[in-house]
Amino acid sequence: MTTSETHTNPDTPETLAYNRTKRWLELADLVVSFGFLIALLATGWTNTLSALATRLGRDHYALDLFIYVLFLSIISKVLSFGLDFYSFRLEHRFNLSNQHIGSWIKDAIKGWVLGLVFATFLAEVVYSFIRISPQYWWIIGWVIFIALFIFFAQVAPVVLFPLFYKFAPLQNEELKARLVRLGERAGTRIRGVYEWKLSEKSRKANAALTGLGNTRRIIVADTLLQNYSDDEIEAVLAHELGHHVHGHILKNILVEAAVTLAGFWAANEVLRYAIDDRKMFQHLADFANLPLLALVASGLSLVLMPALNAYSRFTERQADLYCWKCVADVTPYITAMEKLGKQNLSESHPSRLVEVLFHSHPPISKRIAAAEAWAKKHRPSLAT
Ligand SMILES: [Zn+2]
């Protein structure tokens, strides 16, 4: 196959149905979580729950707050359980999942506990600073949030991901040698490449650059290693190396820092307005205002999602460009993209609106077209 003759096929009815249902599920999930927060505030249930938590915690502030967070976490899990289960069924209906119900429930519980630990820790820190420094709590809260975020980015590949998947250092010597060569050409060294045992749960394929500092590594799904040629896997690795060379993880952290600073600032303003002007809460340290804080944070991330997705697509294009420059021929990149699209039922031709609103990666049709255009210009000898 010559690179100039490759065309991406239109999406199959199956692909369209899968993606359409998934988008509806995401939308429903948004409605449920925003609806829950709004209902808590509008009905005054948040005050009822915080009063109950205070009674159960016997006026021990940190314990009261934990009980309150536990209530919210249980109720929101109950509310979203139906949608979560439907998502699990959806993956099976489209033959994308191998996971048994027992393993899925185990993962759901682990995820819930992790979320609870994280939310409790953050809430305890934020409200203790609200009490210590009502004026500057939002700046201190932001600094701690970012520190926590960096900590989690670093430990994720060694502590969090292994809770859900098994990993092992890549055994394929030929691939390892190729990656070393890619890295040498880039003047950089990746600490490791790990095989991600995704096949136990999913039929999809994926690869990613994860971690920070000494945990920085590329993870490649076994589903990819088993079914793709060495040239195709090299192209995928070169793309991930592109993320590394461009420092995308660090840049993402900086973007995250800017967004959350705006979030903490806005939360402080909105909380003050709710207390001073609307008399919704007695004071800042009244943790019944937590749903309002969460509402501001999630509202802001929702509003910024198209911009953040646009930034993410930009970084993907950078990593792609890096990949094409690295590999001798872009054809394996193109065939790998086609295979990935088919295997994961990704839409190759989403509408522009869907792309702008939801997609963190450029559509496969555009990535392939860009690769072909690049090859025509920079590798004319390979095209016939
Ligand atoms: Zn990427």
Side-chain angles (χ1 to χ4, degrees):
M1 193 195 320
T2 61
T3 53
S4 52
E5 277 168 12
T6 318
H7 296 289
T8 40
N9 296 320
D11 290 314
T12 62
E14 196 191 13
T15 303
L16 293 174
Y18 171 67
N19 285 281
R20 204 176 308 126
T21 314
K22 247 178 75 158
R23 267 197 299 280
W24 275 111
L25 272 173
E26 277 164 31
L27 213 64
D29 194 51
L30 272 178
V31 170
V32 168
S33 42
F34 275 83
F36 175 49
L37 294 174
I38 292 168
L40 279 170
L41 294 163
T43 58
W45 291 338
T46 178
N47 298 308
T48 317
L49 282 177
S50 76
L52 181 62
T54 307
R55 208 157 350 121
L56 290 171
R58 294 169 192 269
D59 265 334
H60 186 291
Y61 188 83
L63 183 61
D64 302 347
L65 176 57
F66 167 70
I67 296 170
Y68 177 76
V69 171
L70 182 66
F71 282 158
L72 292 196
S73 164
I74 292 171
I75 300 169
S76 71
K77 191 70 211 170
V78 169
L79 287 176
S80 65
F81 185 80
L83 289 171
D84 293 348
F85 185 67
Y86 191 85
S87 304
F88 167 70
R89 294 293 311 146
L90 183 74
E91 297 293 305
H92 276 279
R93 176 145 47 96
F94 285 90
N95 262 321
L96 293 167
S97 175
N98 290 324
Q99 197 174 16
H100 294 296
I101 179 86
S103 151
W104 179 76
I105 290 174
K106 233 179 6 203
D107 279 1
I109 294 171
K110 277 191 243 174
W112 179 76
V113 171
L114 267 179
L116 178 64
V117 169
F118 187 74
T120 303
F121 188 79
L122 201 62
E124 296 287 356
V125 166
V126 163
Y127 281 93
S128 64
F129 282 111
I130 282 181
R131 297 204 317 160
I132 295 166
S133 167
Q135 193 130 39
Y136 299 111
W137 72 270
W138 60 279
I139 299 180
I140 307 167
W142 170 70
V143 170
I144 292 184
F145 180 85
I146 294 304
L148 211 62
F149 188 82
I150 293 172
F151 172 74
F152 273 110
Q154 180 155 23
V155 301
V158 283
V159 178
L160 299 183
F161 301 166
L163 290 175
F164 298 93
Y165 295 100
K166 293 191 190 93
F167 292 88
L170 184 68
Q171 295 301 332
N172 186 327
E173 294 303 322
E174 157 71 13
L175 269 177
K176 274 204 303 216
R178 281 191 188 211
L179 185 76
V180 169
R181 277 200 297 276
L182 284 176
E184 273 169 4
R185 234 177 295 157
T188 181
R189 206 164 54 89
I190 284 281
R191 299 228 177 216
V193 181
Y194 285 75
E195 183 177 348
W196 168 17
K197 314 272 187 194
L198 185 61
S199 64
E200 288 173 7
K201 295 181 180 174
S202 175
R203 294 191 183 151
K204 292 180 170 176
N206 213 337
L209 175 71
T210 64
L212 262 183
N214 56 5
T215 65
R216 168 74 44 92
R217 60 191 61 185
I218 291 176
I219 56 175
V220 191
D222 54 356
T223 43
L224 204 140
L225 293 170
Q226 285 153 12
N227 305 308
Y228 291 64
S229 73
D230 279 3
D231 285 340
E232 287 167 340
I233 296 167
E234 181 183 41
V236 171
L237 292 175
H239 170 93
E240 300 306 333
L241 193 64
H243 283 304
H244 172 69
V245 169
H246 283 287
H248 284 155
I249 289 192
L250 194 68
K251 285 177 186 165
N252 282 341
I253 289 175
L254 291 177
V255 169
E256 187 70 25
V259 170
T260 45
L261 179 62
F264 272 99
W265 172 82
N268 183 47
E269 295 294 315
V270 172
L271 282 183
R272 284 184 185 282
Y273 169 76
I275 294 163
D276 299 340
D277 296 20
R278 303 295 300 268
K279 314 283 178 217
M280 282 171 72
F281 311 101
Q282 291 182 344
H283 48 88
L284 216 52
D286 175 4
F287 54 73
N289 62 27
L290 180 62
L292 187 58
L293 221 156
L295 195 63
V296 173
S298 19
L300 189 77
S301 36
L302 189 66
V303 168
L304 289 176
M305 205 165 74
L308 294 175
N309 275 337
Y311 174 69
S312 170
R313 290 194 302 274
F314 166 73
T315 61
E316 292 304 328
R317 287 195 298 271
Q318 277 190 323
D320 274 350
L321 184 61
Y322 181 86
C323 161
W324 308 331
K325 286 181 185 165
C326 258
V327 294
D329 176 11
V330 298
T331 310
Y333 166 89
I334 291 172
T335 53
M337 281 296 135
E338 284 171 338
K339 276 164 103 168
L340 278 168
K342 222 184 213 169
Q343 189 172 355
N344 296 347
L345 286 187
S346 323
E347 279 172 306
S348 304
H349 303 274
S351 72
R352 180 70 187 145
L353 183 70
V354 164
E355 181 191 338
V356 165
L357 290 181
F358 300 104
H359 285 202
S360 60
H361 287 59
I364 283 171
S365 61
K366 285 192 184 171
R367 294 176 79 173
I368 291 177
E372 287 170 343
W374 184 88
K376 218 173 190 174
K377 200 165 158 207
H378 297 93
R379 303 264 193 276
S381 57
L382 285 170
T384 48

